[in-house]
Amino acid sequence: MSGIYARHLSVAAATAALAATSALFTAPSAQAAMPTPVSAATARTYLGQLTVGAEGSSSGYSRDKFPHWITQSGACNTREVILKRDGTNVQQDSSCAAVSGSWYSPYDGATWKAASDVDIDHMVPLAEAWRSGASGWTNAQRQSFANDLTRPQLIAVTDNVNQAKGDKDPAKWMPPSSSYKCTYVRAWVHVKKYYNLSVDSAEKSALQSALSGC
């Protein structure tokens, strides 16, 4: 376990005890958050409509085939837009870099004061999308997917939690915070439905199980 990871775990543990009483102060407002995913009922309907099949190959995959953190406006790229959107009291310099603020990570309930402690997670990871149908897309389509500000596809979270997720689907990884799992699976299905991506049988079972408790 790295020193940074241990530090993150210890800080996350310390902040978790305060999460229930300080949620109004640490959680981003409804206006500054990931777009709201479809309801659980709609997600269950969408899940039933997704193509189920064996996961495709990772052959040929590269993050470079999903051009991301493109310029959104002025000097601001996608990452910087999400940092501003998901953070509280975020101040940016002339190049749009976040120099101060705080970020609440709903995956684990931790709050961070430095943008360097925060990753922008692709809800449906790029490699997962590749294996689920995006290998057949154009680079322009993959760029739109990797920088989607309209669907619940991008969210600021604790960097080490995002790294633990990697490219795993919900059969292999779910957010540590149980209170966020319903939102997570609703968002996952929302994105897969919009982009007509497939699910494998284990992934579908995990999503069905999680949605049944929502």
Side-chain angles (χ1 to χ4, degrees):
M1 179 181 294
S2 71
I4 293 175
Y5 191 33
R7 173 176 61 81
H8 283 191
L9 285 179
S10 63
V11 175
T15 56
L18 298 174
T21 57
S22 62
L24 292 176
F25 303 97
T26 58
S29 69
Q31 290 75 34
M34 181 182 75
T36 303
V38 295
S39 69
T42 299
R44 284 190 284 269
T45 298
Y46 282 1
L47 183 57
Q49 297 169 347
L50 293 178
T51 298
V52 180
E55 197 166 76
S57 170
S58 293
S59 177
Y61 168 73
S62 166
R63 287 179 67 85
D64 292 340
K65 293 184 178 179
F66 291 80
H68 53 291
W69 307 167
I70 61 171
T71 299
Q72 292 290 343
S73 63
C76 301
N77 66 27
T78 306
R79 172 181 163 83
E80 292 154 348
V81 168
I82 300 298
L83 284 173
K84 177 73 170 180
R85 184 198 72 185
D86 288 4
T88 301
N89 299 323
V90 176
Q91 300 297 316
Q92 297 170 306
D93 65 17
S94 59
S95 65
C96 208
V99 293
S100 65
S102 65
W103 290 269
Y104 173 80
S105 168
Y107 283 6
D108 58 335
T111 298
W112 303 102
K113 298 292 187 180
S116 58
D117 286 323
V118 177
D119 277 356
I120 308 303
D121 180 39
H122 289 93
M123 177 64 62
V124 175
L126 305 182
E128 165 68 20
W130 177 270
R131 297 189 296 264
S132 304
S135 60
W137 295 352
T138 65
N139 267 18
Q141 288 172 314
R142 289 191 286 264
Q143 175 175 293
S144 294
F145 174 83
N147 297 275
D148 190 349
L149 299 174
T150 305
R151 262 62 56 181
Q153 166 65 350
L154 296 169
I155 185 170
V157 297
T158 301
D159 55 2
N160 287 318
V161 174
N162 182 50
Q163 291 153 24
K165 172 183 173 179
D167 64 354
K168 302 179 183 74
D169 69 35
K172 303 178 181 74
W173 189 91
M174 291 281 276
S177 176
S178 59
S179 64
Y180 198 71
K181 288 179 180 177
C182 279
T183 302
Y184 186 82
V185 294
R186 285 160 48 212
W188 183 282
V189 173
H190 184 156
V191 171
K192 282 226 160 175
K193 170 65 174 176
Y194 181 83
Y195 286 98
N196 195 30
L197 295 169
S198 64
V199 291
D200 63 49
S201 57
E203 176 188 354
K204 182 174 182 178
S205 294
L207 290 164
Q208 285 175 323
S209 176
L211 286 169
S212 69
C214 295

